[in-house]
Amino acid sequence: MAYMSQEGYDKMVAELKRLESVERPKASAAIAEARDKGDLSENSEYDAAKEAQAHLEDKINQMKLAIQEAKIIDVSRLSTDTVQILTKVEMTNLTTKAKMSYTIVSENEADLRAGKISIKTPIAQGLLGKKVGDEVEITIPRGKIRLRIENITIE
């Protein structure tokens, strides 16, 4: 089961519809076009089109499963007392004094450019359950990072 926001769920459903209604017909057309070019045993274009279709079908199936298992979180019932999924955490790196801010989301909604990190990342795991003012030391791939939680909000 994956917890996610209504917005994340709606985006995933829209992407699934796009894949099924736009990308799937494109993949079928590419296979048909490659098939029309003759001998399939030496037709790399046909093989590539079949492989692309297989990847697309796999992605569609994964999205269907994620949608089926999704549990939408009622944001109005969340608290800002502690860090939890769908909270935005503002913090300071105690070593570099750099300020950073992340919203903790489900794996399917993660988008680092938008400041959304997966609940499964080491940073999110290290922050869960902590309160404003708490200082945490988190092991990340590059070593350890020390953070102080400055603010917790819900967007």
Side-chain angles (χ1 to χ4, degrees), residues 27-39:
S28 295
I31 290 170
E33 184 179 319
R35 189 182 304 122
D36 290 342
K37 293 188 176 172
D39 184 8

Side-chain angles (χ1 to χ4, degrees), residues 81-132:
D81 294 343
T82 61
V83 177
Q84 55 191 312
I85 193 164
L86 297 185
T87 54
K88 181 177 184 176
V89 185
E90 295 172 30
M91 60 208 122
T92 303
N93 180 323
L94 295 173
T95 306
T96 65
K97 305 297 181 217
K99 303 271 186 206
M100 56 178 107
S101 160
Y102 294 119
T103 302
I104 299 175
V105 297
S106 70
E107 260 188 308
N108 296 321
E109 295 179 85
D111 179 0
L112 194 54
R113 282 189 220 118
K116 296 179 178 185
I117 61 170
S118 166
I119 194 164
K120 294 187 176 185
T121 62
I123 290 177
Q125 287 292 303
L127 293 172
L128 288 175
K130 302 296 188 270
K131 299 178 179 185
V132 171

Side-chain angles (χ1 to χ4, degrees), residues 10-149:
D10 292 344
K11 281 182 180 177
M12 190 179 291
V13 168
E15 176 65 5
L16 176 62
K17 285 181 181 173
R18 186 187 73 76
L19 291 174
E20 290 179 326
S21 63
V22 177
E23 297 302 322
R24 186 181 270 161
K26 277 186 190 174
S28 295
I31 290 170
E33 184 179 319
R35 189 182 304 122
D36 290 342
K37 293 188 176 172
D39 184 8
L40 297 181
S41 65
E42 295 181 18
N43 189 335
S44 61
E45 195 174 320
Y46 176 78
D47 293 339
K50 289 293 281 183
E51 190 172 323
Q53 182 187 42
H55 286 298
L56 176 64
E57 291 302 323
D58 187 43
K59 185 173 183 178
I60 288 171
N61 289 333
Q62 287 176 356
M63 288 186 86
K64 282 182 177 179
L65 185 62
I67 289 168
Q68 183 179 2
E69 293 179 345
K71 173 118 176 79
I72 298 169
I73 296 173
D74 181 357
V75 178
S76 68
R77 301 181 86 188
L78 294 178
S79 161
T80 57
D81 294 343
T82 61
V83 177
Q84 55 191 312
I85 193 164
L86 297 185
T87 54
K88 181 177 184 176
V89 185
E90 295 172 30
M91 60 208 122
T92 303
N93 180 323
L94 295 173
T95 306
T96 65
K97 305 297 181 217
K99 303 271 186 206
M100 56 178 107
S101 160
Y102 294 119
T103 302
I104 299 175
V105 297
S106 70
E107 260 188 308
N108 296 321
E109 295 179 85
D111 179 0
L112 194 54
R113 282 189 220 118
K116 296 179 178 185
I117 61 170
S118 166
I119 194 164
K120 294 187 176 185
T121 62
I123 290 177
Q125 287 292 303
L127 293 172
L128 288 175
K130 302 296 188 270
K131 299 178 179 185
V132 171
D134 284 356
E135 293 183 7
V136 296
E137 185 173 273
I138 301 169
T139 301
I140 59 173
R142 283 190 243 132
K144 292 191 184 289
I145 185 172
R146 287 180 20 99
L147 303 171
R148 181 177 54 240
I149 299 171

